[in-house]
Amino acid sequence: GAGVSQSPSNKVTEKGKDVELRCDPISGHTALYWYRQSLGQGLEFLIYFQGNSAPDKSGLPSDRFSAERTGGSVSTLTIQRTQQEDSAVYLCASSLDPFTGELFFGEGSRLTVL
Amino acid sequence: QKEVEQDPGPLSVPEGAIVSLNCTYSNSAFQYFMWYRQYSRKGPELLMYTYSSGNKEDGRFTAQVDKSSKYISLFIRDSQPSDSATYLCAMSLTFQGAQKLVFGQGTRLTINP
């Protein structure tokens, strides 16, 4: 498709389980970002990739969170041993020009941890 | 203190009203200033973008930046029910070879027919 694609769109899991969230950026976009949006809250920066490398991992909330990007394209955000406070919408965005800040967002993956 | 402060609202106005949305920020290193619009259960989309102090107009929307006061605004004229959404201000600075965006909390806006 032409836009940023995220999967799954919805995920319900039990506390303690691991989850993987996938992001397919717009073809050719070199920069890829992960944000988290909790109910009624703004966007919390998690991590960004320039190509396959992640120069800024400062936003990852804990060592249970990790992300990778392969082939300069698809990215996976992994949350291990999920906790209830991890429940949120996880948004992925990509950018053609890393210097303008114009991000194209996917529709998000809504994670609910029971 | 958060780097970017935005009144979360909610804000409810009648159709046709002029809407003013505002953000303040503390980091003078921010270079680019944006407004994103987010409809329910959708990802944010870029609405307005500017990098200098002053006004930028696009149709019914005007973005205003005052770097000396560290204050940005978005004005919506002749507001329509279709403008009902959450509006997020965002500011960026260069970090490690790319733009790092910091978002405000978002203001939930409802335009009543």
PDB file of all heavy atoms in Angstrom, chain B residues 69-85:
ATOM      1  N   SER B  69       8.747  34.305  22.693  1.00  0.00           N
ATOM      2  CA  SER B  69       7.897  33.923  23.821  1.00  0.00           C
ATOM      3  C   SER B  69       7.787  32.421  23.975  1.00  0.00           C
ATOM      4  O   SER B  69       7.139  31.938  24.913  1.00  0.00           O
ATOM      5  CB  SER B  69       6.499  34.526  23.659  1.00  0.00           C
ATOM      6  OG  SER B  69       6.562  35.937  23.605  1.00  0.00           O
ATOM      7  N   LYS B  70       8.373  31.678  23.042  1.00  0.00           N
ATOM      8  CA  LYS B  70       8.289  30.213  23.032  1.00  0.00           C
ATOM      9  C   LYS B  70       6.812  29.777  23.059  1.00  0.00           C
ATOM     10  O   LYS B  70       6.382  29.020  23.958  1.00  0.00           O
ATOM     11  CB  LYS B  70       9.070  29.615  24.199  1.00  0.00           C
ATOM     12  CG  LYS B  70      10.576  29.876  24.128  1.00  0.00           C
ATOM     13  CD  LYS B  70      11.307  29.060  25.186  1.00  0.00           C
ATOM     14  CE  LYS B  70      12.792  29.263  25.118  1.00  0.00           C
ATOM     15  NZ  LYS B  70      13.206  30.622  25.486  1.00  0.00           N
ATOM     16  N   TYR B  71       6.109  30.225  22.048  1.00  0.00           N
ATOM     17  CA  TYR B  71       4.656  30.055  22.031  1.00  0.00           C
ATOM     18  C   TYR B  71       4.233  29.850  20.589  1.00  0.00           C
ATOM     19  O   TYR B  71       4.656  30.596  19.708  1.00  0.00           O
ATOM     20  CB  TYR B  71       4.041  31.340  22.592  1.00  0.00           C
ATOM     21  CG  TYR B  71       2.566  31.336  22.842  1.00  0.00           C
ATOM     22  CD1 TYR B  71       2.059  30.931  24.062  1.00  0.00           C
ATOM     23  CD2 TYR B  71       1.682  31.784  21.871  1.00  0.00           C
ATOM     24  CE1 TYR B  71       0.701  30.948  24.305  1.00  0.00           C
ATOM     25  CE2 TYR B  71       0.327  31.811  22.110  1.00  0.00           C
ATOM     26  CZ  TYR B  71      -0.160  31.401  23.338  1.00  0.00           C
ATOM     27  OH  TYR B  71      -1.506  31.424  23.581  1.00  0.00           O
ATOM     28  N   ILE B  72       3.405  28.811  20.355  1.00  0.00           N
ATOM     29  CA  ILE B  72       2.866  28.617  19.011  1.00  0.00           C
ATOM     30  C   ILE B  72       1.355  28.477  19.093  1.00  0.00           C
ATOM     31  O   ILE B  72       0.817  28.030  20.125  1.00  0.00           O
ATOM     32  CB  ILE B  72       3.490  27.424  18.273  1.00  0.00           C
ATOM     33  CG1 ILE B  72       3.035  26.083  18.873  1.00  0.00           C
ATOM     34  CG2 ILE B  72       5.021  27.507  18.294  1.00  0.00           C
ATOM     35  CD1 ILE B  72       3.428  24.884  18.009  1.00  0.00           C
ATOM     36  N   SER B  73       0.688  28.845  18.016  1.00  0.00           N
ATOM     37  CA  SER B  73      -0.765  28.789  17.970  1.00  0.00           C
ATOM     38  C   SER B  73      -1.234  28.255  16.629  1.00  0.00           C
ATOM     39  O   SER B  73      -0.540  28.379  15.620  1.00  0.00           O
ATOM     40  CB  SER B  73      -1.367  30.182  18.172  1.00  0.00           C
ATOM     41  OG  SER B  73      -1.018  30.728  19.415  1.00  0.00           O
ATOM     42  N   LEU B  74      -2.417  27.682  16.656  1.00  0.00           N
ATOM     43  CA  LEU B  74      -3.120  27.284  15.439  1.00  0.00           C
ATOM     44  C   LEU B  74      -4.505  27.901  15.501  1.00  0.00           C
ATOM     45  O   LEU B  74      -5.225  27.717  16.495  1.00  0.00           O
ATOM     46  CB  LEU B  74      -3.232  25.768  15.315  1.00  0.00           C
ATOM     47  CG  LEU B  74      -4.010  25.267  14.096  1.00  0.00           C
ATOM     48  CD1 LEU B  74      -3.209  25.515  12.816  1.00  0.00           C
ATOM     49  CD2 LEU B  74      -4.342  23.772  14.224  1.00  0.00           C
ATOM     50  N   PHE B  75      -4.859  28.652  14.447  1.00  0.00           N
ATOM     51  CA  PHE B  75      -6.183  29.247  14.364  1.00  0.00           C
ATOM     52  C   PHE B  75      -6.963  28.551  13.248  1.00  0.00           C
ATOM     53  O   PHE B  75      -6.435  28.316  12.163  1.00  0.00           O
ATOM     54  CB  PHE B  75      -6.089  30.749  14.063  1.00  0.00           C
ATOM     55  CG  PHE B  75      -5.372  31.525  15.133  1.00  0.00           C
ATOM     56  CD1 PHE B  75      -4.026  31.828  14.992  1.00  0.00           C
ATOM     57  CD2 PHE B  75      -6.032  31.951  16.275  1.00  0.00           C
ATOM     58  CE1 PHE B  75      -3.345  32.544  15.970  1.00  0.00           C
ATOM     59  CE2 PHE B  75      -5.368  32.652  17.258  1.00  0.00           C
ATOM     60  CZ  PHE B  75      -4.023  32.951  17.105  1.00  0.00           C
ATOM     61  N   ILE B  76      -8.201  28.240  13.540  1.00  0.00           N
ATOM     62  CA  ILE B  76      -9.096  27.654  12.554  1.00  0.00           C
ATOM     63  C   ILE B  76     -10.257  28.617  12.372  1.00  0.00           C
ATOM     64  O   ILE B  76     -10.992  28.915  13.327  1.00  0.00           O
ATOM     65  CB  ILE B  76      -9.630  26.275  12.997  1.00  0.00           C
ATOM     66  CG1 ILE B  76      -8.485  25.343  13.390  1.00  0.00           C
ATOM     67  CG2 ILE B  76     -10.463  25.644  11.873  1.00  0.00           C
ATOM     68  CD1 ILE B  76      -8.950  24.007  13.975  1.00  0.00           C
ATOM     69  N   ARG B  77     -10.406  29.119  11.130  1.00  0.00           N
ATOM     70  CA  ARG B  77     -11.528  30.025  10.838  1.00  0.00           C
ATOM     71  C   ARG B  77     -12.692  29.228  10.273  1.00  0.00           C
ATOM     72  O   ARG B  77     -12.498  28.166   9.672  1.00  0.00           O
ATOM     73  CB  ARG B  77     -11.096  31.069   9.806  1.00  0.00           C
ATOM     74  CG  ARG B  77     -10.081  32.070  10.303  1.00  0.00           C
ATOM     75  CD  ARG B  77      -9.834  33.136   9.226  1.00  0.00           C
ATOM     76  NE  ARG B  77      -9.357  32.531   7.983  1.00  0.00           N
ATOM     77  CZ  ARG B  77      -8.105  32.173   7.779  1.00  0.00           C
ATOM     78  NH1 ARG B  77      -7.209  32.332   8.718  1.00  0.00           N
ATOM     79  NH2 ARG B  77      -7.751  31.645   6.620  1.00  0.00           N
ATOM     80  N   ASP B  78     -13.899  29.755  10.478  1.00  0.00           N
ATOM     81  CA  ASP B  78     -15.100  29.125   9.916  1.00  0.00           C
ATOM     82  C   ASP B  78     -15.077  27.614  10.198  1.00  0.00           C
ATOM     83  O   ASP B  78     -15.149  26.784   9.282  1.00  0.00           O
ATOM     84  CB  ASP B  78     -15.175  29.389   8.411  1.00  0.00           C
ATOM     85  CG  ASP B  78     -16.476  28.912   7.789  1.00  0.00           C
ATOM     86  OD1 ASP B  78     -17.487  28.828   8.518  1.00  0.00           O
ATOM     87  OD2 ASP B  78     -16.483  28.588   6.582  1.00  0.00           O
ATOM     88  N   SER B  79     -14.950  27.284  11.451  1.00  0.00           N
ATOM     89  CA  SER B  79     -14.780  25.873  11.833  1.00  0.00           C
ATOM     90  C   SER B  79     -15.968  25.019  11.377  1.00  0.00           C
ATOM     91  O   SER B  79     -17.125  25.473  11.358  1.00  0.00           O
ATOM     92  CB  SER B  79     -14.589  25.757  13.347  1.00  0.00           C
ATOM     93  OG  SER B  79     -15.651  26.371  14.039  1.00  0.00           O
ATOM     94  N   GLN B  80     -15.658  23.796  10.984  1.00  0.00           N
ATOM     95  CA  GLN B  80     -16.632  22.843  10.461  1.00  0.00           C
ATOM     96  C   GLN B  80     -16.683  21.602  11.348  1.00  0.00           C
ATOM     97  O   GLN B  80     -15.679  21.260  11.983  1.00  0.00           O
ATOM     98  CB  GLN B  80     -16.229  22.436   9.045  1.00  0.00           C
ATOM     99  CG  GLN B  80     -16.069  23.593   8.070  1.00  0.00           C
ATOM    100  CD  GLN B  80     -17.395  24.290   7.815  1.00  0.00           C
ATOM    101  OE1 GLN B  80     -18.384  23.645   7.498  1.00  0.00           O
ATOM    102  NE2 GLN B  80     -17.417  25.614   7.976  1.00  0.00           N
ATOM    103  N   PRO B  81     -17.807  20.900  11.364  1.00  0.00           N
ATOM    104  CA  PRO B  81     -17.871  19.655  12.141  1.00  0.00           C
ATOM    105  C   PRO B  81     -16.770  18.668  11.767  1.00  0.00           C
ATOM    106  O   PRO B  81     -16.285  17.919  12.617  1.00  0.00           O
ATOM    107  CB  PRO B  81     -19.274  19.108  11.816  1.00  0.00           C
ATOM    108  CG  PRO B  81     -20.086  20.331  11.534  1.00  0.00           C
ATOM    109  CD  PRO B  81     -19.139  21.279  10.832  1.00  0.00           C
ATOM    110  N   SER B  82     -16.338  18.703  10.506  1.00  0.00           N
ATOM    111  CA  SER B  82     -15.267  17.798  10.069  1.00  0.00           C
ATOM    112  C   SER B  82     -13.909  18.151  10.676  1.00  0.00           C
ATOM    113  O   SER B  82     -12.953  17.380  10.579  1.00  0.00           O
ATOM    114  CB  SER B  82     -15.158  17.808   8.546  1.00  0.00           C
ATOM    115  OG  SER B  82     -14.900  19.123   8.080  1.00  0.00           O
ATOM    116  N   ASP B  83     -13.814  19.319  11.307  1.00  0.00           N
ATOM    117  CA  ASP B  83     -12.582  19.702  12.001  1.00  0.00           C
ATOM    118  C   ASP B  83     -12.485  19.059  13.386  1.00  0.00           C
ATOM    119  O   ASP B  83     -11.452  19.175  14.062  1.00  0.00           O
ATOM    120  CB  ASP B  83     -12.505  21.228  12.171  1.00  0.00           C
ATOM    121  CG  ASP B  83     -12.403  21.975  10.855  1.00  0.00           C
ATOM    122  OD1 ASP B  83     -11.839  21.410   9.888  1.00  0.00           O
ATOM    123  OD2 ASP B  83     -12.914  23.118  10.787  1.00  0.00           O
ATOM    124  N   SER B  84     -13.549  18.402  13.809  1.00  0.00           N
ATOM    125  CA  SER B  84     -13.549  17.748  15.123  1.00  0.00           C
ATOM    126  C   SER B  84     -12.490  16.648  15.143  1.00  0.00           C
ATOM    127  O   SER B  84     -12.552  15.691  14.361  1.00  0.00           O
ATOM    128  CB  SER B  84     -14.926  17.156  15.423  1.00  0.00           C
ATOM    129  OG  SER B  84     -15.909  18.173  15.487  1.00  0.00           O
ATOM    130  N   ALA B  85     -11.523  16.797  16.011  1.00  0.00           N
ATOM    131  CA  ALA B  85     -10.388  15.878  16.074  1.00  0.00           C
ATOM    132  C   ALA B  85      -9.515  16.297  17.263  1.00  0.00           C
ATOM    133  O   ALA B  85      -9.809  17.273  17.948  1.00  0.00           O
ATOM    134  CB  ALA B  85      -9.563  15.939  14.792  1.00  0.00           C
TER     135      ALA B  85
END
